[in-house]
Amino acid sequence: MKNLVFVILTFLVLFVACSKQEPVDIDSNQEVKVHYDTIAVDSFSAGATSVDIVRQIKMSSQKYQDSVKEAIKLQAEEKRIKDELEKENKKKQDEENKKADDEKKKNAAENSSTTPKTE
């Protein structure tokens, strides 16, 4: 009888242990997926450079130098155009002032000649 109980218990344990178990499904909404926007780079790995060195390389590159020269040229051109516009506006204003002065003189001359002198 003792052997029979032992055999049944052993059979049950083996049956439960060897039965196909379904994995427990945890709520899929709670599953955390981490998305990184950067890639970790070992600063001691081959090809790793410091930020300062990369900046110096970019600044010394021909493309960067060309863009700096182009920006300087654009600024000089804008300044030249602005100066020319100021000169033109000044000339126009001077001409208008001269015309206004001439008209005042003519009006003054006409007024003095049309008014009778009572002496």
Side-chain angles (χ1 to χ4, degrees), residues 78-90:
E78 288 175 358
K79 185 178 179 184
R80 185 185 62 80
I81 291 172
K82 185 178 177 183
D83 290 342
E84 287 179 6
L85 286 175
E86 287 178 2
K87 287 179 183 178
E88 278 185 36
N89 289 338
K90 198 173 191 180

Side-chain angles (χ1 to χ4, degrees), residues 36-55:
Y36 294 104
D37 61 346
T38 58
I39 299 172
V41 176
D42 184 13
S43 61
F44 298 106
S45 66
T49 54
S50 71
V51 176
D52 294 330
I53 293 172
V54 171
R55 183 173 170 266

Side-chain angles (χ1 to χ4, degrees), residues 52-64:
D52 294 330
I53 293 172
V54 171
R55 183 173 170 266
Q56 288 176 354
I57 291 170
K58 286 182 181 178
M59 290 179 73
S60 65
S61 70
Q62 187 64 31
K63 186 177 180 180
Y64 180 80

Side-chain angles (χ1 to χ4, degrees), residues 22 27 30 54 57 62 71 74-75 92-93:
E22 294 181 15
D27 188 15
Q30 293 180 354
V54 171
I57 291 170
Q62 187 64 31
L74 286 175
Q75 287 178 349
K92 286 181 182 179
Q93 201 146 30

